Amino acid sequence: MIWDNTTLFSDDNPADAAFRKEVREWVDKNCPENLRDRPSRVTPPEMKPWHRKLYERGWIAPHWPKEAGGMGATLEQQLILFEEISRIGAPTPFPHGLNFFGPILIHAGTPEQKAKHCPGILSGEVTWCQGYSEAGAGSDLASLKTRAVLAGDHFIVNGHKLWTTNGHYADWMFALVRTDAEAKPRHAGISLILIDLKSPGVTVKPIKTIRGDAEFAEEFFDDVRVPRENLIGPLNGGWKLATMLLGGERFATGHPRNAAILLNRARQVARVTGADADPAFRQQLAALEIDLLAFTAYYRHGAALHGLGKVPDSMTPVMKLAAGPLAQAASEFLVQVAGPAGASLADMDIHGEAVNPAEDLFEMRRVTVGGGANEIQRGILAKRTLDLPS
Amino acid sequence: MEPILDEQQSLMRETAVRLCKDHGGPKRARALRNAATEMDVPAWMELVRSGWLSAAVSEDAGGMGKGMLDVCLALEESGRQLLMVPFAEVAAVAHILGKIGARAENQLRAIQQGLQILVPALPQEGWGNVGSALPLARSEGGQWFLDGTIKHVPFAQTAQSYFVAAKRSSRKKAGGEIMLCAVLKHLVKLHTVQNVDGSTSSELVMEGSLVEESQVMARGGEAQALLDTLRDLLAITTGAALVGVSSQALDMTLDYIKYRQQFGKALGSFQALQHRVADCFVDIELNRSLVYRVAASYDAGQGHPAMAAAVKARTSRVALSVTRDALQLHGAIGYTDEHDIGLYYKRAIALAALYGNDINQTARFSALTV
Ligand SMILES: Cc1cc2nc3c(=O)[nH]c(=O)nc-3n(C[C@H](O)[C@H](O)[C@H](O)COP(=O)(O)OP(=O)(O)OC[C@H]3O[C@@H](n4cnc5c(N)ncnc54)[C@H](O)[C@@H]3O)c2cc1C
């Protein structure tokens, strides 16, 4: 057996194995060179041609049902696509439309809403962003204050959204807004609406991240008119839609690939920096790869249970608590393996491939904050699974 | 998460849960420790009677034809209930004997019938095994005589014989170097010490110990391959027991912090403690999946020694950290001999030290995955 930590424990049946091969060959031939193994972040305009290729091949939305224009793929096939795309260091298309909003739209949208928005999400023509967080509403998302007041056939939106990934590139935002200021509990007064970011009264400002680029943005809404038909689901019913887990979504965020890729990178860098001759390096690498192996086993176990409809509630927080810190530890290891170059803004040349350990380090910092910080996940696990009191 | 089992496997697992509950538990473990009893005979007889030592033996060889996964599920329960039996050892040996076929038939039958306990006496992975090497076997008149020392053999006093890998000292045959054989207890010298958890560790000295040709079960390449697999299986089975130890220690701690009040509240309502036990839970959950998956990989003929090393490294590491946290969250009561949580801490120490600890098995993993 060849030790390949990116496909370990995969459960390919013969049909899946054939599919994997097909995807691997196709991705290798079709992914634009400038997107592969790139140390810096890929922007939405740079992503578009690659998104389009996947769309034309019919592989852009493996998890969407066929009626909605997706593949209706099994979870195994979804994972294969995901794994084979990342195997050569190609980026996976942005998740905001395809993974976050798409499944909600398919689940709760009217036929008109679906007809209007699904095609643009699938083709990549329309860039989406997620407007949930605010200055005062992070982990405590239900305290959000951006208001949408119904006035006839329009909502009038006033407020401020923050940390919106791709906000400054996006055409549309799916946003959580307060439609009932009096509601108790607070989350019973929240609705999900779609905001065209080209509407009058919207101001978007990019925010420079710790990586030095502008990945996210903030948006100010001053009396922005949003047609009533842009409400998704019932009025004041947004919280449930936004917090429900749809299908295999959780498997996309917790995939062991981040750590696997970083550890493979550390091996390559070690050959150049001389770290690989040091037993201390090898011991530390092995400890991380053992954690990766355990997490991979857990992940595949979860995928198999998913197929049987038996995934326990604990899986989502466990995956987040395991995957994030592991990827972070791998990125910290990579920085150390690089030696002084680990602190450099310049890329390292690793056998012709550009590697930037600090970029990886910064990129991984986000995974324990975004989408429900790890401290919040621990609380969920302690209360819901371990049954501890408040 | 729950393993994915068919109906028969689920039933078997339930029998293991019941057996270990009925025959084990902290009270029983304490009594055995206090009486310096190396092995729990009634529990062992029950394991034999319910067929657990035949579970991972192929049907061709007279076993039940289940796999190491089933055995590991039972071992998890055995760890949970602190059973003091050589289950991890003998189940692994029985699996290997089943692969050998005719030459091991008698030994295997004797194990399955409860007539003998055959524990592996092999030099172990890692530190503390200097001077522990495969014994040398010389041949004289159709018999073999073994010389050598093996350290840290568990259950050596109770066993009737030892499963030994010896190096043949004959100069003529280059290829067939290793042989697997059974060595009778009364032909070796034992120096036994007690471990922190009441288990034992024996140094086994062979000085011309006789092995009849009929006790030789495999040679050469076959013997080497079986020996390698046996080492892997011991790492995996012991790892499965460690998962049970960790998991039970966490459950006891959860019970304790839900009940114990300080500052007018249950300890379990304090976030610092909630986060700590949540992390323990995550660590254990990953190990459980790892053990199931690796055992199943071996059952499917897709095992890799690095997987076995990973199991022993990580289950050891986590068992030590979880039981240590468990002790901390119990406060002073956890520091008493009287409280059961200490038994789990000590069992974790003993099992983690066996067959290569976290550091040793991590180094081995590294060597296997360059
Ligand atoms: C790179 C990046 C991209 C993002 N993209 C988007 C996006 O596209 N759309 C969007 O809506 N949002 C986005 N976010 C925002 C993200 O959802 C929030 O950062 C997250 O919900 C945490 O909120 P906060 O930043 O306000 O932190 P806070 O809630 O202020 O938390 C700060 C720290 O305190 C801890 N903490 C908070 N409450 C508790 C508690 N009760 N007990 C213990 N510890 C606690 C947290 O775990 C964290 O460590 C993004 C964030 C990042 C980093």
Side-chain angles (χ1 to χ4, degrees):
Chain A
M1 196 188 106
I2 303 164
W3 196 260
D4 174 356
N5 65 12
T6 48
T7 51
L8 266 174
F9 294 153
S10 63
D11 292 300
D12 294 358
N13 61 32
D16 286 344
F19 181 60
R20 188 183 289 279
K21 185 162 172 281
E22 189 188 353
V23 176
R24 184 173 301 182
E25 286 166 7
W26 184 89
V27 168
D28 202 27
K29 224 165 93 197
N30 286 281
C31 177
E33 280 299 332
N34 69 331
L35 298 187
R36 300 185 189 196
D37 270 326
R38 227 174 73 163
S40 57
R41 224 181 107 78
V42 177
T43 62
E46 291 171 315
M47 185 76 87
K48 266 189 183 170
W50 174 223
H51 184 124
R52 181 95 203 165
K53 281 218 154 127
L54 284 162
Y55 166 65
E56 283 164 358
R57 184 63 189 78
W59 288 344
I60 193 65
H63 54 300
W64 285 26
K66 281 210 174 95
E67 316 81 81
M71 268 174 80
T74 61
L75 182 63
E76 283 308 324
Q77 290 172 322
Q78 295 174 35
L79 297 183
I80 287 169
L81 267 167
F82 197 69
E83 285 162 11
E84 293 305 324
I85 287 174
S86 42
R87 158 186 292 272
I88 59 157
T92 36
F94 288 111
H96 308 92
L98 285 166
N99 296 354
F100 300 162
F101 175 51
I104 297 176
L105 176 65
I106 293 167
H107 172 80
T110 62
E112 294 74 32
Q113 288 171 332
K114 288 187 220 182
K116 179 166 179 199
H117 295 295
C118 284
I121 295 175
L122 289 168
S123 70
E125 279 317 299
V126 181
T127 298
W128 283 84
C129 67
Q130 177 185 44
Y132 289 5
S133 303
E134 297 179 3
S139 299
D140 184 15
L141 186 59
S143 69
L144 62 88
K145 289 202 172 69
T146 294
R147 293 204 57 183
V149 178
L150 201 51
D153 59 352
H154 276 75
F155 290 102
I156 308 293
V157 179
N158 280 287
H160 175 220
K161 290 284 173 186
L162 199 57
W163 318 132
T164 323
T165 299
N166 294 339
H168 45 313
Y169 293 104
D171 305 296
W172 283 83
M173 168 189 280
F174 58 103
L176 285 180
V177 291
R178 184 152 297 286
T179 37
D180 181 351
E182 254 67 277
K184 290 232 160 60
R186 295 168 307 167
H187 57 252
I190 292 173
S191 301
L192 185 68
I193 61 169
L194 309 182
I195 304 177
D196 181 347
L197 292 178
K198 310 226 161 43
S199 313
V202 179
T203 313
V204 182
K205 286 188 184 161
I207 301 171
K208 200 166 167 180
T209 70
I210 196 170
R211 280 180 75 160
D213 63 358
E215 125 152 38
F216 46 31
E218 61 184 326
E219 299 81 20
F220 299 88
F221 302 97
D222 293 306
D223 288 332
V224 176
R225 286 167 68 86
V226 173
R228 189 182 175 141
E229 66 252 27
N230 287 8
L231 172 71
I232 301 288
L235 190 69
N236 295 321
W239 184 258
K240 206 171 150 206
L241 289 178
T243 52
M244 74 177 160
L245 281 169
L246 293 152
E249 278 327 293
R250 47 191 154 189
F251 289 95
T253 41
H255 200 282
R257 66 161 183 164
N258 275 344
I261 288 171
L262 289 166
L263 292 176
N264 286 339
R265 197 164 288 160
R267 280 176 183 262
Q268 287 161 9
V269 170
R271 274 179 218 124
V272 173
T273 61
D276 69 340
D278 189 337
F281 159 78
R282 293 202 299 267
Q283 185 77 3
Q284 180 104 35
L285 175 68
L288 289 166
E289 294 209 316
I290 287 170
D291 278 345
L292 173 63
L293 190 72
F295 179 57
T296 307
Y298 182 84
Y299 185 85
R300 300 278 181 201
H301 189 172
L305 286 171
H306 176 84
L308 302 170
K310 286 185 178 169
V311 173
D313 290 342
S314 62
M315 196 191 75
T316 304
V318 169
M319 270 196 352
K320 272 216 92 185
L321 290 169
L326 176 59
Q328 289 175 344
S331 70
E332 286 160 11
F333 182 59
L334 175 61
V335 167
Q336 301 226 35
V337 169
S344 177
L345 282 173
D347 293 345
M348 297 177 87
D349 180 352
I350 304 296
H351 301 306
E353 194 196 300
V355 169
N356 194 314
E359 286 260 7
D360 285 328
L361 182 77
F362 294 139
E363 176 64 18
M364 289 307 134
R365 286 319 311 167
R366 59 184 297 165
V367 298
T368 51
V369 174
N374 275 27
E375 289 71 23
I376 304 304
Q377 305 295 332
R378 287 191 183 89
I380 291 172
L381 208 50
K383 297 214 175 70
R384 295 200 197 143
T385 301
L386 307 181
D387 201 25
L388 291 170
S390 294
Chain B
M1 294 185 289
E2 282 295 299
I4 297 169
L5 305 174
D6 61 32
E7 206 173 314
Q8 240 188 341
Q9 287 178 305
S10 304
L11 286 173
M12 271 184 72
R13 187 189 188 202
E14 276 170 37
T15 66
V17 171
R18 216 168 314 122
L19 190 159
C20 295
K21 239 194 193 139
D22 291 350
H23 290 268
K27 213 171 172 178
R28 179 73 186 151
R30 187 184 299 283
L32 291 164
R33 182 199 68 177
N34 293 348
T37 309
E38 188 183 67
M39 187 185 88
D40 189 343
V41 176
W44 180 253
M45 291 320 293
E46 200 51 38
L47 278 170
V48 171
R49 220 176 50 79
S50 338
W52 276 105
L53 302 175
S54 307
V57 175
S58 67
E59 281 175 311
D60 293 347
M64 290 167 70
K66 306 282 164 213
M68 291 312 296
L69 172 61
D70 303 81
V71 167
C72 284
L73 290 170
L75 270 159
E76 193 181 324
E77 294 310 314
S78 148
R80 191 179 273 285
Q81 302 297 347
L82 299 173
L83 250 60
M84 191 60 97
V85 287
F87 186 13
E89 284 78 12
V90 183
V93 167
H95 178 79
I96 295 295
L97 297 184
K99 288 189 167 189
I100 294 175
R103 291 190 69 91
E105 212 179 313
N106 291 338
Q107 299 287 354
L108 180 56
R109 189 140 320 136
I111 290 176
Q112 290 170 322
Q113 294 173 346
L115 298 175
Q116 80 156 342
I117 295 170
L118 180 64
V119 299
L122 304 168
Q124 291 177 28
E125 227 26 78
W127 299 325
N129 292 295
V130 178
S132 188
L134 294 184
L136 291 179
R138 61 198 147 78
S139 160
E140 265 175 52
Q143 292 175 322
W144 296 91
F145 295 91
L146 269 51
D147 291 292
T149 297
I150 298 166
K151 296 184 171 179
H152 312 303
V153 179
F155 297 99
Q157 291 181 322
T158 320
Q160 281 82 32
S161 31
Y162 309 105
F163 188 78
V164 170
K167 250 197 179 128
R168 294 160 62 178
S169 56
S170 135
R171 249 169 276 126
K172 271 180 265 163
K173 278 195 197 155
E177 283 198 48
I178 287 186
M179 63 181 216
L180 299 179
C181 56
V183 178
L184 291 167
K185 182 189 172 195
H186 67 267
L187 299 177
V188 307
K189 271 192 220 147
L190 292 181
H191 304 285
T192 303
V193 293
Q194 217 185 7
N195 291 325
V196 290
D197 66 331
S199 66
T200 62
S201 179
S202 299
E203 185 172 285
L204 196 147
V205 181
M206 288 171 260
E207 287 167 343
S209 303
L210 169 76
V211 172
E212 301 281 0
E213 186 57 39
S214 63
Q215 288 162 268
V216 177
M217 292 176 274
R219 298 173 181 201
E222 186 201 6
Q224 184 64 55
L226 291 166
L227 175 62
D228 292 344
T229 307
L230 176 58
R231 285 168 180 277
D232 288 352
L233 295 183
L234 288 169
I236 297 166
T237 51
T238 309
L242 280 163
V243 169
V245 171
S246 319
S247 186
Q248 182 65 14
L250 176 61
D251 287 352
M252 289 165 67
T253 304
L254 291 172
D255 284 347
Y256 185 73
I257 65 174
K258 281 175 203 169
Y259 145 87
R260 165 84 175 158
Q261 306 251 333
Q262 284 292 283
F263 303 98
K265 289 163 88 176
L267 289 180
S269 65
F270 296 116
Q271 199 186 49
L273 303 193
Q274 290 185 347
H275 285 196
R276 207 154 156 180
V277 290
D279 283 337
C280 291
F281 179 78
V282 172
D283 271 340
I284 297 169
E285 281 287 278
L286 264 56
N287 278 357
R288 194 171 268 136
S289 295
L290 179 67
V291 168
Y292 298 161
R293 189 61 195 234
V294 169
S297 296
Y298 273 79
D299 288 337
Q302 292 169 348
H304 187 294
M307 293 179 189
V311 165
K312 187 59 175 53
R314 203 171 188 282
T315 54
S316 301
R317 188 210 310 163
V318 169
L320 291 175
S321 67
V322 167
T323 53
R324 171 246 284 147
D325 280 1
L327 226 61
Q328 175 68 17
L329 267 53
H330 276 80
I333 194 90
Y335 198 68
T336 62
D337 181 61
E338 192 189 338
H339 197 280
D340 291 340
I341 198 68
L343 298 175
Y344 284 84
Y345 183 47
K346 290 174 174 176
R347 180 59 52 88
I349 293 171
L351 293 181
L354 207 56
Y355 309 126
N357 61 26
D358 173 20
I359 297 177
N360 306 145
Q361 289 288 4
T362 300
R364 179 159 170 263
F365 178 96
S366 171
L368 289 163
T369 55
V370 269

